[in-house]
Amino acid sequence: MSLEWANMYSAFGPAYNPHTIISDQKEPIDQELRVAGGSSGGSAAAVASGMCFASLGSDTGGSIRLPASYCGVIGFKPSYGQCSRWGLVAYASSLDTVGIITRNVHDAQLIYDIISKYDEKDPSSLPPKLRSINSSLASFDKTNSNFTDLSKLRVGIPQEYYVSELSDPIKSLWKRGISLLRSYGATIVSVSCPSTRYALPAYYILAPAEASSNLARYDGVRYGHRSDMDSKQDEKLLYTHTRSEGFGEEVKRRILLGTYTLTAGSYNNYFIYAQRIRKMVQSDFDYVFRRPNPLHLVKNESSFCNCNNDEIFEISNKLRKESHGVDVIITPVAISTSPKVKDSLSSSFLSNSDNTKSLDDSFVNAYVNDVFTIPANLAGIPAISVPFGISPIDGFPIGLQLMTQYGDEHTLFYISKVLENNK
Amino acid sequence: MIIKTFVTTYLKKTCNERFISKIKRNVTFYQYSTHLYKSNKWETIIGLEVHAQLNSKTKLFSSSSTSFNEPVNTNVSVIDAAFPGTLPQLNTKCVELAVAASLALSGNVQLVSSFDRKQYFYPDLPPGYQITQHYAPISLGGKIFLNQLDGLEYDTMVRIKQIQLEQDTGKSIHDIVPGMTLIDLNRAGTGLIEIVTEPDMRTSKEAGLTVKKLQSILRTIGSSDGNMEEGSLRCDVNVSVHEHETPYGTRCEIKNLNSIKFLMAAIDVEIERQIKELENGNKIVQETRGFDVLKNKTFRLRTKETATDYRYMPEPDLSPLILNKDYITRISNNLPELPDDLKTRIMKQYGIPLHDVIVLMNETGGVKYFEEAVKNRNPQHVSNWITHELFGLLHARNIKFSQNPVSALQLGSVIDCVDNGDITGKVGKKIIEKMISGDSRLASIIIQDEGLRQLSDINELEKICKNVILQNPEQVIHYFCFDIYFLNLLKTLFCYCS
């Protein structure tokens, strides 16, 4: 049985974090209602509360991993192009990724194996040829089968993720995760992703721009809400009324922002710059990981397409051994634990507040929550949020994020299981 | 009356020949002809933007079928209607047709091209954006040559700037229900190629002939039906005037022209309007205008003063289109004979005049049909039967030539019977009408079955005639009297003329 859950934040109010209710922690937990996170908060809450075995969500900038971390469940975002986007309401086409929320890694992998198939209806779906090349590439999971011996594993800690906004419980949990991997023999390496600090602003140029385009179709003409207000004097009013009534405040905000960055004067200054930063973020990861990126391999060496699987494995294994890169990166998922409902909602009371300065801050603060999750979307690499502990301050779950090279989901699942078994 | 027409036809023929031979002696190749300086002062600069619907069975990014005049909203898929969660799927046939068009127009097919979104809100554009190729179109450059074979007295060339693939919009119908606009999405998503020319045309005739040439080329290669009346070819024209040796003037765009005749008329009145404005000391405002056929004037369309910002954005759902040289070579090798080559060859090989060839070429498949029917027959006869009789009969019944039920074999059999004297031309025409109605028999069989054979045996004919005369004595007397009068009339006329 599959449950459908619409996280209708605007219509029915916020999706609450079920940990408030179901937690059996001995330490006192804060009883005020917390949010489930966004935007797949409903899916995460459903899985966390036991309503269903698994749920699907979409991760554009962290919207599966963030609620998974808040609710204490697994939130898995595959590589871009692995799972078909046909049927997924488009937000930002080049960033949207269908992802899976489950209570454990095994379930996530089960569902993933079923849904990660080539779909000809999705032009961005990874073609069969590339899938085949990808599965022939050498990676950590192929060289290891013992979950307690990680001596061949190289783990990267990106320095740029150690930001001042990180709360202490998160910092200590991150350290605990690193120690765990080290205790199994993994080599811990400090790595650098210099473009990280630009990733957040680049994302908030690109995603709203694409969203403003993808949301243009909601005009009430062919389906959905259509305004009852009179639009006889001017045909444009039908659109104006329908869209003003139908979209929530945050959506309208992002559409306006996105439309602005695409206007003729801004395009070169914002949109093009953001695309360049995105390329830089991608090459940061290509430099950091030792497994080659199959997409770039095929692009740069077309002879690769004619090799058989063994040849591909040999070539990539050689590249992998020569590289000083790492197999996996471990970082936090969010800056804090799940925020309180009243703190999240304050940003939407636009008209009622007198203090505009704090309002601007609160919008931007909400965006800052995505700083750890966004780079994986910009680069299209797989990432997972694994629940690893509970905050000693408020008793709410904290997740750790693992990221691997494009197409290296198997290594990701492997290391996630190690963390999961020892949380 | 007969003599008058005879005299004028004779004069016309010799004059034309003399004129053409004069041109042949003195012809210079005008790159962009500067003909028709209006009162030796003004030069007209004309450019075209042509949208041609591609002749694919399904649309550019969805598998719903393309259509013409089908019941409204019957060929619309969820992709065309921009339902949530839908994604475009490129139709490779459209790419083929676009590449063929580029090659036929001597363009450079770009090995890498990409798609972009042109964004604006309008009810007949379901997604709120049109997928086009703004930054990197599929073809750059190209040219169209015009000369006597096309009906121009001199030679000229029109350069093509680019050819790009794009989607067509749906149709908005404003005048059926008062106060409402009805939307038909059958056309939404159909593949188009937009062909943009450089502003190389200098007269309305050149523009008209360019469009005609383009239609002919597109029809020959099968990329498009190129029919302005049906909407498979739409032209927007840009017109400006300037005094000789001054910079180009501000141009105005004229849209919604649905025939070549109107296109040329619109250009002419627009030139007049612009010259008048400038001579009065006014400036030309850059705007989009329509053409009022009845008033023979252009008028400003209900548009904004400032140019629309379409917020072009690379289409994130589609990766760049990468073609390899082999693919292009294959299409190039499969291109049929192009119009100029075809015209020259048919005229030479069969000895029929240019006009006939043009009429045959105007129908898709017309030349092929002719070449089949002409085997072992008199080419001029075959051409006449097709162009004068068959085309006319089909047209009268509103049957497109592509749906012509009369096979070349059948037509050939009719021609044979007429040429043999078995039947008259009139009866032949009737037989063709039968064939159009669905009779699939050959002419010889029909004649046999229905006893239509013409009597040509003199003795038999004499017998029948004598019989008729004997049975109708009054009519015979009337005829003889009239005959003498007519003879006298002729004699007088001849004396008068000589």
Side-chain angles (χ1 to χ4, degrees):
Chain A
M1 185 185 93
S2 69
L3 286 179
E4 283 165 26
W5 187 282
N7 184 19
M8 303 269 279
Y9 191 97
S10 311
F12 300 119
Y16 297 118
N17 193 327
H19 198 79
T20 313
I21 310 141
I22 63 168
S23 163
D24 56 4
Q25 295 295 111
K26 298 261 178 4
E27 293 90 24
I29 70 161
D30 199 325
Q31 285 299 335
E32 271 194 81
L33 283 177
R34 303 278 178 125
V35 292
S39 53
S40 300
S43 299
V47 170
S49 59
M51 284 172 75
C52 56
F53 167 72
S55 65
L56 295 176
S58 76
D59 190 313
T60 307
S63 25
I64 279 184
R65 290 161 284 159
L66 196 69
S69 172
Y70 285 172
C71 296
V73 288
I74 297 281
F76 169 58
K77 179 195 94 68
S79 309
Y80 181 86
Q82 289 282 21
C83 300
S84 170
R85 282 188 300 121
W86 175 265
L88 177 70
V89 176
Y91 176 71
S93 314
S94 69
L95 296 158
D96 289 342
T97 320
V98 172
I100 305 156
I101 300 175
T102 53
R103 275 186 290 281
N104 56 54
V105 182
H106 171 266
D107 296 345
Q109 191 162 13
L110 190 71
I111 307 263
Y112 176 68
D113 287 339
I114 298 170
I115 68 172
S116 62
K117 299 266 167 33
Y118 171 67
D119 182 5
E120 61 186 13
K121 295 216 281 281
D122 176 359
S124 60
S125 179
L126 199 65
K129 179 83 201 204
L130 275 171
R131 284 177 197 253
S132 153
I133 291 177
N134 183 51
S135 53
S136 308
L137 287 175
S139 52
F140 172 76
D141 71 296
K142 286 202 177 115
T143 60
N144 229 68
S145 52
N146 187 347
F147 280 93
T148 50
D149 175 17
L150 299 180
S151 50
K152 292 199 191 120
L153 184 73
R154 284 172 64 84
V155 179
I157 317 294
Q159 339 160 346
E160 291 82 4
Y161 283 60
Y162 195 84
V163 297
S164 52
E165 289 91 341
L166 262 185
S167 61
D168 289 332
I170 309 246
K171 270 189 212 160
S172 50
L173 202 81
W174 190 8
K175 286 189 182 137
R176 192 152 73 74
I178 297 168
S179 307
L180 175 75
L181 295 175
R182 188 187 281 121
S183 73
Y184 282 124
T187 314
I188 310 296
V189 181
S190 170
V191 297
S192 173
C193 298
S195 316
T196 305
R197 57 181 286 219
Y198 305 114
L200 187 67
Y203 173 83
Y204 275 102
I205 299 292
L206 294 174
E210 292 192 21
S212 73
S213 179
N214 287 325
L215 295 178
R217 62 187 62 191
Y218 300 104
D219 49 25
V221 174
R222 298 163 305 287
Y223 49 77
H225 168 72
R226 187 195 280 198
S227 172
D228 296 324
M229 286 177 68
D230 179 32
S231 55
K232 287 204 184 67
Q233 319 92 289
D234 188 342
E235 63 197 15
K236 296 193 198 79
L237 286 179
L238 174 69
Y239 277 53
T240 310
H241 294 321
T242 301
R243 289 167 70 84
S244 304
E245 290 166 21
F247 285 132
E249 292 304 314
E250 183 60 32
V251 178
K252 282 189 229 178
R253 204 172 287 135
R254 295 196 186 191
I255 290 176
L256 286 170
L257 178 60
T259 310
Y260 173 73
T261 50
L262 288 177
T263 54
S266 316
Y267 181 77
N268 284 325
N269 297 333
Y270 292 107
F271 190 82
I272 293 291
Y273 264 104
Q275 291 282 27
R276 289 193 192 133
I277 292 172
R278 185 176 183 173
K279 273 259 159 6
M280 285 161 58
V281 170
Q282 285 173 359
S283 33
D284 277 357
F285 284 120
D286 280 341
Y287 186 73
V288 160
F289 289 121
R290 56 176 174 171
R291 182 188 195 261
N293 183 334
L295 301 176
H296 297 161
L297 260 182
V298 167
K299 197 164 138 193
N300 298 333
E301 278 155 76
S302 49
S303 56
F304 223 71
C305 293
N306 298 328
C307 299
N308 65 33
N309 293 348
D310 294 326
E311 283 167 346
I312 293 173
F313 181 83
E314 288 308 321
I315 297 171
S316 56
N317 207 17
K318 188 158 162 289
L319 285 168
R320 192 170 163 267
K321 286 199 172 119
E322 287 164 6
S323 160
H324 297 296
V326 301
D327 298 296
V328 64
I329 290 176
I330 183 167
T331 76
V333 181
I335 295 180
S336 65
T337 53
S338 165
K340 294 186 186 161
V341 172
K342 63 172 196 224
D343 293 329
S344 316
L345 280 182
S346 62
S347 58
S348 65
F349 290 130
L350 242 179
S351 42
N352 295 349
S353 172
D354 303 316
N355 194 343
T356 42
K357 185 174 187 295
S358 72
L359 258 178
D360 289 340
D361 287 347
S362 66
F363 290 145
V364 178
N365 283 341
Y367 296 168
V368 159
N369 259 324
D370 299 327
V371 69
F372 300 129
T373 49
I374 274 173
N377 291 92
L378 288 177
I381 61 175
I384 192 168
S385 168
V386 182
F388 198 62
I390 302 287
S391 162
I393 299 176
D394 54 25
F396 271 82
I398 300 172
L400 279 184
Q401 176 177 234
L402 295 169
M403 293 186 266
T404 56
Q405 175 59 287
Y406 185 92
D408 200 7
E409 280 83 2
H410 292 293
T411 302
L412 199 68
F413 285 131
Y414 193 105
I415 311 299
S416 315
K417 282 180 186 150
V418 174
L419 285 184
E420 184 179 53
N421 293 340
N422 293 282
K423 59 179 176 185
Chain B
M1 201 100 65
I2 301 163
I3 294 166
K4 194 170 162 195
T5 37
F6 179 62
V7 163
T8 33
T9 327
Y10 170 77
L11 284 171
K12 220 186 195 172
K13 193 170 176 214
T14 46
C15 280
N16 254 352
E17 276 172 3
R18 279 191 243 133
F19 187 61
I20 287 172
S21 58
K22 187 177 179 188
I23 294 295
K24 272 186 185 157
R25 279 198 300 273
N26 300 330
V27 72
T28 9
F29 183 76
Y30 291 101
Q31 180 97 8
Y32 320 116
S33 76
T34 50
H35 280 68
L36 268 199
Y37 278 111
K38 288 252 172 203
S39 45
N40 255 352
K41 191 176 164 206
W42 297 99
E43 181 178 56
T44 314
I45 310 292
I46 303 169
L48 287 173
E49 275 169 31
V50 177
H51 292 87
Q53 268 184 2
L54 290 170
N55 223 352
S56 56
K57 289 208 175 68
T58 55
K59 297 182 180 178
L60 183 56
F61 291 115
S62 74
S63 54
S64 43
S65 71
T66 53
S67 57
F68 169 67
N69 263 354
E70 299 206 12
V72 295
N73 290 318
T74 47
N75 287 329
V76 187
S77 74
V78 284
I79 301 175
D80 304 324
F83 269 63
T86 53
L87 296 166
Q89 296 148 51
L90 181 61
N91 179 348
T92 49
K93 179 73 183 171
C94 289
V95 177
E96 248 184 68
L97 297 175
V99 170
S102 165
L103 292 168
L105 294 166
S106 315
N108 296 316
V109 179
Q110 301 298 297
L111 296 177
V112 181
S113 61
S114 62
F115 295 99
D116 307 296
R117 292 185 183 179
K118 176 180 181 181
Q119 306 187 74
Y120 63 95
F121 290 105
Y122 203 70
D124 67 15
L125 188 68
Y129 57 83
Q130 175 201 37
I131 302 182
T132 175
Q133 295 187 301
H134 178 75
Y135 293 113
I138 194 169
S139 165
L140 293 172
K143 34 194 176 256
I144 296 177
F145 290 102
L146 296 175
N147 55 30
Q148 287 143 39
L149 289 178
D150 308 295
L152 197 62
E153 307 87 56
Y154 47 88
D155 291 356
T156 188
M157 177 177 84
V158 178
R159 293 167 303 167
I160 292 178
K161 182 161 176 234
Q162 64 186 57
I163 302 175
Q164 68 209 48
L165 276 166
E166 56 183 41
Q167 291 177 303
D168 208 347
T169 60
K171 267 201 204 129
S172 301
I173 304 154
H174 304 285
D175 39 18
I176 294 185
V177 178
M180 287 186 89
T181 302
L182 303 178
I183 309 286
D184 173 16
L185 293 179
N186 275 347
R187 200 181 66 180
T190 306
L192 295 175
I193 34 171
E194 177 173 337
I195 302 168
V196 184
T197 71
E198 299 283 8
D200 291 346
M201 288 150 279
R202 295 288 175 270
T203 69
S204 59
K205 184 171 181 183
E206 286 179 28
L209 290 177
T210 305
V211 176
K212 244 192 173 149
K213 190 71 178 275
L214 205 55
Q215 282 179 317
S216 179
I217 293 173
L218 292 174
R219 282 177 193 154
T220 305
I221 59 178
S223 287
S224 172
D225 287 336
N227 213 316
M228 281 183 85
E229 287 77 11
E230 289 173 5
S232 50
L233 192 92
R234 304 199 284 274
C235 290
D236 298 334
V237 64
N238 287 301
V239 182
S240 74
V241 297
H242 72 120
E243 291 185 55
H244 189 43
E245 311 236 314
T246 63
Y248 284 3
T250 313
R251 60 168 195 249
C252 286
E253 187 187 17
I254 312 174
K255 282 177 108 81
N256 301 339
L257 301 157
N258 41 31
S259 78
I260 295 183
K261 198 172 88 173
F262 293 159
L263 182 125
M264 300 201 299
I267 292 172
D268 285 332
V269 301
E270 178 62 16
I271 295 171
E272 299 291 347
R273 179 191 81 90
Q274 289 195 11
I275 292 177
K276 200 167 167 201
E277 288 288 315
L278 290 171
E279 279 176 347
N280 285 344
N282 301 329
K283 282 213 170 98
I284 303 289
V285 175
Q286 179 171 12
E287 58 192 7
T288 305
R289 299 176 75 81
F291 179 55
D292 187 331
V293 177
L294 297 170
K295 290 193 193 143
N296 203 36
K297 272 187 170 355
T298 59
F299 59 94
R300 178 186 299 162
L301 283 175
R302 195 169 50 92
T303 51
K304 314 117 215 167
E305 268 87 38
T306 52
T308 316
D309 181 0
Y310 289 113
R311 302 193 303 281
Y312 289 99
M313 177 182 92
E315 169 59 72
D317 287 327
L318 296 167
S319 46
L321 181 65
I322 301 177
L323 307 171
N324 64 38
K325 290 217 164 84
D326 291 337
Y327 174 82
I328 298 172
T329 312
R330 183 171 58 83
I331 296 180
S332 175
N333 291 340
N334 286 337
L335 277 182
E337 216 173 352
L338 293 178
D340 286 342
D341 300 329
L342 189 66
K343 274 180 198 159
T344 325
R345 179 178 72 82
I346 298 284
M347 280 169 66
K348 198 167 169 197
Q349 191 174 344
Y350 300 106
I352 57 174
L354 177 65
H355 175 260
D356 285 13
V357 181
I358 290 176
V359 175
L360 285 171
M361 283 173 72
N362 255 348
E363 299 289 346
T364 311
V367 173
K368 191 170 170 206
Y369 189 85
F370 166 78
E371 289 206 272
E372 249 198 80
V374 85
K375 290 180 188 157
N376 300 323
R377 293 191 181 99
N378 181 320
Q380 190 61 60
H381 287 188
V382 176
S383 167
N384 288 345
W385 274 100
I386 298 176
T387 59
H388 297 170
E389 304 301 343
L390 181 62
F391 282 175
L393 289 170
L394 288 172
H395 185 72
R397 301 216 197 167
N398 251 335
I399 302 176
K400 283 172 91 162
F401 185 70
S402 52
Q403 318 291 343
N404 169 33
V406 183
S407 71
L409 208 61
Q410 283 181 290
L411 183 75
S413 68
V414 174
I415 299 172
D416 287 338
C417 291
V418 173
D419 283 352
N420 285 342
D422 292 342
I423 50 170
T424 60
K426 228 176 174 178
V427 176
K429 193 169 170 181
K430 284 215 165 64
I431 292 179
I432 294 181
E433 282 178 18
K434 270 186 192 286
M435 290 170 172
I436 291 177
S437 299
D439 196 333
S440 55
R441 297 176 288 176
L442 288 180
S444 40
I445 315 262
I446 298 178
I447 292 169
Q448 208 169 3
D449 290 348
E450 307 195 12
L452 294 168
R453 182 177 278 273
Q454 177 174 257
L455 284 172
S456 28
D457 179 10
I458 287 291
N459 294 327
E460 260 207 80
L461 277 169
E462 244 193 75
K463 251 194 215 162
I464 296 173
C465 284
K466 275 188 178 155
N467 235 355
V468 170
I469 291 171
L470 284 171
Q471 288 175 6
N472 300 286
E474 272 188 37
Q475 275 85 334
V476 172
I477 295 167
H478 273 176
Y479 174 73
F480 270 108
C481 297
F482 191 69
D483 191 31
I484 294 167
Y485 171 73
F486 188 64
L487 220 58
N488 279 334
L489 188 63
L490 272 177
K491 275 195 194 155
T492 334
L493 282 172
F494 271 122
C495 292
Y496 188 77
C497 282
S498 47

